[in-house]
Amino acid sequence: MKIDFILNKKPVHIDTDPLRRLLDVLREDFYLTGVKEGCGEGECGACTVLIGGEAVCSCIVPVGTVANEKILTIEGFRSTARYRILEKCFIDAGAVQCGFCTPGFIMAAEALLSENPRPDETEIRQGIAGNLCRCTGYSMIVDAIQRASVQGKGLW
Amino acid sequence: MRESWNSAPEFELQERYEQPPFVQWDQQRFKGDAYPVYSWGTNVVEVEVDSLTWEVTVKGIWAAYDIGTPMDERIVRGQIEGGIAQGLGYATMEVMNSSEGRFMQESLFDYVIPTAVDLPNIHSTLIENEYEYGPFGAKCAGELPFVGAAPALASAVQHALGVPITRIPLTPDYLREVTQGED
């Protein structure tokens, strides 16, 4: 099936099985390996990408359903001022340990802050509840997003 | 090693570990104290138990550790918080049982671990206590933060319910079972 969509702000076209997972298409066809596979069943959030601004687990999205959608991965997000603030705050807060969950958390943070630029602690915890981290205990990730919402004032 | 680095494609280097003089350990007879370095920690957990659904909610966590002088305080803090989070998951929700030699939980769908909403902020403190023989005064922090959280939580639930708690995880099923007869 021929599928057109916008990937990281550029129009792309592929001809593939529409039932393939978006995760596999992004990693294998577009070499966007910042999108990680953790559980492969929509529980851990390591494969989080934004579809039309909404955080979605790309491992449970058949690529046929994203025709004409706007998809943003960590690679596309990297060139933005918002990303640079998030990156700095994740580093400053010590929110990265093994790092495998980090791209997913950054994308979840972007989705959260786009909807709610000044979230309180409870709202941040709810905003990242779809992402699992086994290293940090979450407090430092919550702290990083809190810092980003203050330091990135006006960006979201 | 540095000298022979570029001179040959392969080289062999042998060195024998020599224990520092303060370690009293006899390798031949396997006697003595092979692990003289102890890190210390203490955990306080505050819980709320719903007496209708028997769900346990963690309301607060405080922890203090003596791991010598931390080499990188931020990494140590991460290790502490991650260990505590794992310990609290272990104590409350991480059910793993087996049947005929097979684990009944096979994925993150049925082996549930804590998310950010399952835990409050973790308050941790380091008691700086330079360790003379450690690198830059450090002792170890590896699995220490993991071991205290589950017993602290179980003790808190035991205190709240007034019945002995003898195993984890404290699932609602188990808590209902141990409190039967109290109602």
Side-chain angles (χ1 to χ4, degrees):
Chain A
M1 187 174 135
K2 292 182 162 67
I3 303 159
D4 291 290
F5 55 97
I6 312 287
L7 177 58
N8 294 333
K9 299 185 180 110
K10 291 192 191 95
V12 293
H13 171 84
I14 49 164
D15 191 353
T16 191
D17 178 352
L19 287 180
R20 281 178 72 207
R21 305 183 300 173
L22 176 61
L23 167 70
D24 296 329
V25 171
L26 294 174
R27 287 181 61 87
E28 292 163 10
D29 299 13
F30 293 100
Y31 307 110
L32 298 172
T33 52
V35 190
K36 302 296 182 196
E37 175 164 12
C39 66
E41 52 188 24
E43 291 288 335
C44 78
C47 64
T48 302
V49 300
L50 304 190
I51 302 182
E54 204 174 318
V56 174
C57 290
S58 61
C59 71
I60 49 171
V61 175
V63 70
T65 65
V66 303
N68 304 317
E69 295 278 4
K70 282 184 186 144
I71 296 176
L72 186 68
T73 74
I74 187 90
E75 288 87 350
F77 186 45
R78 274 192 75 178
S79 58
T80 64
R82 292 173 175 191
Y83 171 82
R84 282 190 288 278
I85 290 286
L86 276 167
E87 182 190 60
K88 181 181 176 295
C89 293
F90 267 63
I91 293 169
D92 291 347
V96 180
Q97 278 181 248
C98 90
F100 195 81
C101 70
T102 309
F105 269 99
I106 296 273
M107 298 316 284
E110 157 68 0
L112 168 69
L113 292 173
S114 300
E115 207 183 287
N116 179 1
R118 294 302 299 269
D120 61 24
E121 189 195 325
T122 308
E123 290 166 334
I124 294 175
R125 286 184 179 274
Q126 281 162 354
I128 58 171
N131 296 68
L132 295 177
C133 169
R134 196 58 156 165
C135 303
T136 62
Y138 302 108
S139 298
M140 292 152 112
I141 298 175
V142 172
D143 180 27
I145 297 171
Q146 229 147 22
R147 286 169 189 239
S149 82
V150 175
Q151 290 178 29
K153 205 177 168 198
L155 285 175
W156 279 282
Chain B
M1 192 161 96
R2 192 173 291 159
E3 280 162 21
S4 48
W5 191 250
N6 285 318
S7 63
E10 269 180 39
F11 64 93
E12 219 179 286
L13 190 80
Q14 268 195 24
E15 266 187 86
R16 202 185 158 85
Y17 167 75
E18 272 178 42
Q19 64 197 30
F22 67 94
V23 177
Q24 302 296 315
W25 173 248
D26 184 339
Q27 180 67 24
Q28 304 307 318
R29 290 186 297 160
F30 270 59
K31 284 197 166 162
D33 187 0
Y35 305 102
V37 183
Y38 286 95
S39 295
W40 302 96
T42 184
N43 288 188
V44 176
V45 173
E46 184 185 350
V47 294
E48 206 171 84
V49 186
D50 188 316
S51 58
L52 191 63
T53 64
W54 301 112
E55 274 175 303
V56 175
T57 309
V58 181
K59 304 301 283 185
I61 313 155
W62 296 265
Y65 297 94
D66 162 14
I67 56 144
T69 302
M71 282 200 236
D72 182 332
E73 207 173 320
R74 206 175 52 180
I75 289 288
V76 169
R77 209 186 122 213
Q79 183 70 18
I80 288 173
E81 298 189 354
I84 290 176
Q86 281 191 27
L88 295 173
Y90 178 48
T92 53
M93 62 178 75
E94 297 183 22
V95 177
M96 180 173 276
N97 32 34
S98 60
S99 168
E100 293 173 12
R102 271 179 70 104
F103 283 124
M104 291 169 79
Q105 289 76 22
E106 297 185 325
S107 70
L108 286 169
F109 178 70
D110 46 19
Y111 186 82
V112 180
I113 68 170
T115 69
V117 292
D118 297 313
L119 303 167
N121 240 318
I122 297 165
H123 305 275
S124 66
T125 314
L126 291 171
I127 312 294
E128 276 226 30
N129 181 19
E130 192 179 345
Y131 179 58
E132 190 185 341
Y133 302 108
F136 310 101
K139 294 193 284 189
C140 50
E143 70 184 2
L144 174 71
F146 173 71
V147 296
L153 183 137
S155 305
V157 172
Q158 177 168 305
H159 186 222
L161 297 180
V163 292
I165 298 293
T166 54
R167 62 177 163 93
I168 53 168
L170 303 181
T171 58
D173 280 358
Y174 171 58
L175 290 182
R176 215 197 72 185
E177 197 184 301
V178 295
T179 48
Q180 260 175 6
E182 301 279 314
D183 298 335

Coordinates of all heavy atoms in Angstrom, one line a residue, chain B residues 76-120:
Chain B
V76 N 24.6 9.1 42.5 CA 24.3 8.4 43.7 C 22.8 8.6 44.0 O 22.1 7.7 44.4 CB 25.2 8.7 44.9 CG1 24.7 8.2 46.2 CG2 26.6 8.2 44.6
R77 N 22.4 9.9 43.9 CA 21.0 10.2 44.2 C 20.1 9.4 43.3 O 19.0 8.9 43.7 CB 20.7 11.7 44.1 CG 19.6 12.2 45.0 CD 19.3 13.7 44.8 NE 17.9 13.8 44.4 CZ 17.4 14.7 43.6 NH1 18.3 15.6 43.0 NH2 16.2 14.8 43.4
G78 N 20.4 9.4 42.0 CA 19.7 8.6 41.0 C 19.6 7.1 41.4 O 18.6 6.5 41.3
Q79 N 20.7 6.6 41.8 CA 20.8 5.2 42.2 C 19.9 4.9 43.4 O 19.2 3.9 43.5 CB 22.3 4.8 42.5 CG 22.5 3.4 42.9 CD 22.3 2.5 41.7 OE1 22.4 2.9 40.6 NE2 22.1 1.2 41.9
I80 N 19.9 5.9 44.3 CA 19.1 5.7 45.5 C 17.6 5.7 45.2 O 16.8 4.9 45.6 CB 19.4 6.9 46.5 CG1 20.8 6.6 47.2 CG2 18.3 7.0 47.6 CD1 21.3 7.8 48.0
E81 N 17.2 6.7 44.4 CA 15.8 6.9 44.1 C 15.3 5.7 43.2 O 14.2 5.2 43.4 CB 15.5 8.2 43.4 CG 15.9 9.4 44.4 CD 15.5 10.7 43.9 OE1 15.0 10.8 42.7 OE2 15.6 11.7 44.7
G82 N 16.1 5.3 42.3 CA 15.7 4.2 41.4 C 15.6 2.9 42.2 O 14.7 2.1 42.1
G83 N 16.6 2.7 43.2 CA 16.5 1.5 44.0 C 15.3 1.5 44.9 O 14.6 0.5 45.1
I84 N 15.0 2.7 45.5 CA 13.8 2.7 46.4 C 12.5 2.5 45.5 O 11.7 1.7 46.0 CB 13.7 4.1 47.0 CG1 14.9 4.2 48.1 CG2 12.4 4.3 47.7 CD1 15.0 5.6 48.8
A85 N 12.5 3.0 44.4 CA 11.3 2.8 43.5 C 11.1 1.3 43.2 O 10.0 0.8 43.2 CB 11.4 3.7 42.2
Q86 N 12.2 0.7 42.9 CA 12.1 -0.8 42.6 C 11.7 -1.5 43.8 O 10.9 -2.4 43.8 CB 13.5 -1.3 42.2 CG 13.8 -1.0 40.7 CD 15.0 -1.8 40.2 OE1 15.4 -2.9 40.7 NE2 15.7 -1.2 39.2
G87 N 12.2 -1.1 45.0 CA 11.9 -1.8 46.3 C 10.4 -1.6 46.6 O 9.8 -2.6 47.0
L88 N 9.9 -0.4 46.3 CA 8.5 -0.2 46.6 C 7.6 -1.0 45.6 O 6.5 -1.5 46.0 CB 8.1 1.3 46.6 CG 8.9 2.1 47.7 CD1 8.6 3.6 47.5 CD2 8.4 1.7 49.1
G89 N 8.0 -1.1 44.4 CA 7.3 -1.9 43.4 C 7.3 -3.4 43.8 O 6.2 -4.1 43.8
Y90 N 8.4 -3.8 44.3 CA 8.6 -5.2 44.7 C 7.7 -5.5 45.9 O 7.1 -6.6 46.0 CB 10.1 -5.3 45.2 CG 10.7 -6.5 45.7 CD1 10.5 -7.7 45.2 CD2 11.5 -6.4 46.9 CE1 11.1 -8.9 45.7 CE2 12.1 -7.5 47.4 CZ 11.9 -8.8 46.8 OH 12.5 -9.9 47.4
A91 N 7.5 -4.5 46.8 CA 6.7 -4.7 48.0 C 5.2 -4.6 47.7 O 4.4 -5.1 48.5 CB 7.1 -3.6 49.0
T92 N 4.8 -3.9 46.6 CA 3.4 -3.7 46.5 C 2.7 -4.3 45.3 O 1.6 -4.9 45.4 CB 3.1 -2.1 46.3 OG1 3.9 -1.6 45.3 CG2 3.4 -1.4 47.6
M93 N 3.4 -4.3 44.1 CA 2.6 -4.7 42.9 C 3.3 -5.7 42.0 O 2.7 -6.3 41.1 CB 2.3 -3.4 42.1 CG 3.6 -2.7 41.6 SD 3.2 -1.3 40.6 CE 2.6 -0.1 41.8
E94 N 4.6 -5.9 42.2 CA 5.3 -6.8 41.3 C 5.2 -8.3 41.7 O 6.0 -8.8 42.3 CB 6.8 -6.4 41.2 CG 6.9 -4.9 40.7 CD 8.3 -4.5 40.5 OE1 9.2 -5.3 40.4 OE2 8.5 -3.2 40.5
V95 N 4.1 -8.8 41.2 CA 3.8 -10.2 41.4 C 4.5 -11.1 40.4 O 4.3 -10.9 39.2 CB 2.2 -10.4 41.3 CG1 1.9 -11.9 41.6 CG2 1.5 -9.6 42.3
M96 N 5.3 -12.1 40.9 CA 5.9 -13.0 40.0 C 5.7 -14.4 40.6 O 6.3 -14.7 41.6 CB 7.3 -12.7 39.7 CG 8.0 -13.7 38.8 SD 9.7 -13.2 38.3 CE 9.3 -12.1 37.0
N97 N 4.9 -15.2 40.0 CA 4.7 -16.6 40.4 C 4.9 -17.5 39.3 O 4.8 -17.2 38.1 CB 3.4 -16.8 41.2 CG 2.3 -15.9 40.7 OD1 2.3 -15.7 39.5 ND2 1.5 -15.5 41.6
S98 N 5.1 -18.8 39.6 CA 5.4 -19.8 38.6 C 4.5 -20.9 38.7 O 3.9 -21.2 39.8 CB 6.9 -20.2 38.6 OG 7.1 -20.8 39.9
S99 N 4.3 -21.6 37.6 CA 3.5 -22.8 37.5 C 4.2 -23.8 36.7 O 4.5 -23.5 35.5 CB 2.1 -22.4 37.0 OG 1.4 -23.6 36.7
E100 N 4.4 -25.0 37.2 CA 5.1 -26.0 36.5 C 6.4 -25.5 35.8 O 6.7 -25.8 34.6 CB 4.2 -26.7 35.5 CG 3.1 -27.4 36.2 CD 2.0 -27.9 35.2 OE1 2.3 -27.9 34.0 OE2 0.9 -28.4 35.6
G101 N 7.2 -24.7 36.6 CA 8.5 -24.3 36.1 C 8.4 -23.1 35.1 O 9.5 -22.7 34.6
R102 N 7.2 -22.6 34.9 CA 7.2 -21.4 34.0 C 6.7 -20.2 34.7 O 5.7 -20.3 35.5 CB 6.2 -21.7 32.8 CG 6.7 -22.4 31.6 CD 5.6 -22.6 30.7 NE 5.1 -21.3 30.1 CZ 5.5 -20.9 28.9 NH1 6.2 -21.6 28.1 NH2 5.0 -19.7 28.5
F103 N 7.2 -19.1 34.4 CA 6.7 -17.9 35.0 C 5.3 -17.6 34.5 O 5.1 -17.7 33.3 CB 7.6 -16.7 34.8 CG 8.8 -16.7 35.6 CD1 10.1 -16.6 35.1 CD2 8.7 -16.7 37.0 CE1 11.2 -16.6 35.9 CE2 9.8 -16.7 37.8 CZ 11.1 -16.7 37.3
M104 N 4.4 -17.2 35.3 CA 3.1 -16.9 34.8 C 3.0 -15.5 34.3 O 2.1 -15.1 33.6 CB 2.0 -17.1 35.9 CG 1.9 -18.6 36.2 SD 1.0 -18.9 37.7 CE -0.7 -18.7 37.1
Q105 N 4.0 -14.6 34.7 CA 4.0 -13.3 34.1 C 5.1 -13.2 33.1 O 6.2 -13.6 33.3 CB 4.3 -12.2 35.2 CG 3.2 -12.0 36.2 CD 3.1 -13.2 37.2 OE1 4.0 -13.9 37.5 NE2 1.9 -13.3 37.8
E106 N 4.7 -12.8 31.9 CA 5.6 -12.9 30.8 C 6.0 -11.5 30.1 O 6.8 -11.5 29.2 CB 5.0 -13.8 29.7 CG 4.8 -15.2 30.2 CD 4.3 -16.1 29.2 OE1 3.6 -15.7 28.3 OE2 4.8 -17.3 29.2
S107 N 5.3 -10.5 30.5 CA 5.6 -9.2 29.9 C 5.2 -8.1 30.8 O 4.7 -8.3 31.9 CB 4.8 -9.1 28.6 OG 3.4 -8.9 29.0
L108 N 5.4 -6.8 30.4 CA 5.1 -5.7 31.2 C 3.6 -5.5 31.3 O 3.1 -4.7 32.0 CB 5.8 -4.4 30.6 CG 7.3 -4.3 30.9 CD1 7.9 -3.2 30.1 CD2 7.5 -4.1 32.4
F109 N 2.9 -6.3 30.5 CA 1.4 -6.2 30.6 C 0.9 -6.9 31.9 O 0.0 -6.4 32.5 CB 0.8 -6.9 29.3 CG -0.7 -6.9 29.3 CD1 -1.4 -5.7 29.2 CD2 -1.4 -8.1 29.5 CE1 -2.8 -5.7 29.2 CE2 -2.8 -8.1 29.5 CZ -3.5 -6.9 29.4
D110 N 1.5 -8.0 32.2 CA 1.1 -8.7 33.4 C 2.1 -8.6 34.6 O 1.7 -8.9 35.7 CB 0.6 -10.2 33.2 CG 1.6 -10.9 32.3 OD1 2.8 -10.5 32.2 OD2 1.2 -12.0 31.8
Y111 N 3.3 -8.2 34.3 CA 4.2 -7.9 35.4 C 4.3 -6.4 35.5 O 5.0 -5.7 34.7 CB 5.6 -8.5 35.1 CG 6.6 -8.3 36.2 CD1 6.6 -9.2 37.3 CD2 7.5 -7.2 36.3 CE1 7.4 -9.0 38.4 CE2 8.3 -7.0 37.3 CZ 8.3 -7.9 38.4 OH 9.1 -7.7 39.5
V112 N 3.5 -5.8 36.4 CA 3.3 -4.4 36.4 C 4.4 -3.7 37.4 O 4.6 -4.2 38.5 CB 1.9 -4.1 36.9 CG1 1.7 -2.6 37.0 CG2 0.9 -4.7 36.0
I113 N 5.0 -2.7 36.9 CA 6.0 -2.0 37.7 C 5.5 -0.6 37.9 O 4.7 -0.1 37.2 CB 7.4 -2.0 37.1 CG1 7.5 -1.2 35.8 CG2 7.9 -3.5 36.8 CD1 8.9 -1.0 35.2
P114 N 6.0 0.1 38.9 CA 5.5 1.5 39.2 C 5.7 2.5 38.1 O 6.7 2.5 37.4 CB 6.3 1.9 40.4 CG 6.9 0.7 41.0 CD 7.1 -0.3 39.9
T115 N 4.7 3.3 37.9 CA 4.8 4.5 37.0 C 5.0 5.7 37.9 O 5.0 5.6 39.1 CB 3.6 4.7 36.2 OG1 2.5 5.1 37.0 CG2 3.2 3.4 35.5
A116 N 5.2 6.9 37.3 CA 5.4 8.1 38.0 C 4.3 8.4 39.0 O 4.5 9.1 40.0 CB 5.6 9.3 37.1
V117 N 3.0 8.0 38.7 CA 1.9 8.3 39.6 C 1.8 7.4 40.8 O 1.1 7.6 41.7 CB 0.6 8.3 38.8 CG1 0.5 9.5 37.8 CG2 0.3 7.0 38.1
D118 N 2.6 6.3 40.7 CA 2.5 5.3 41.9 C 3.4 5.7 43.0 O 3.4 5.1 44.1 CB 2.9 3.9 41.4 CG 1.9 3.4 40.4 OD1 0.7 3.6 40.6 OD2 2.3 2.9 39.3
L119 N 4.3 6.7 42.8 CA 5.3 7.1 43.8 C 5.2 8.5 44.1 O 5.1 9.4 43.2 CB 6.7 6.7 43.3 CG 6.9 5.3 42.9 CD1 8.2 5.2 42.1 CD2 6.9 4.4 44.1
P120 N 5.4 8.9 45.4 CA 5.6 10.3 45.7 C 7.0 10.7 45.5 O 7.9 9.9 45.1 CB 5.1 10.4 47.1 CG 5.5 9.1 47.7 CD 5.4 8.1 46.6

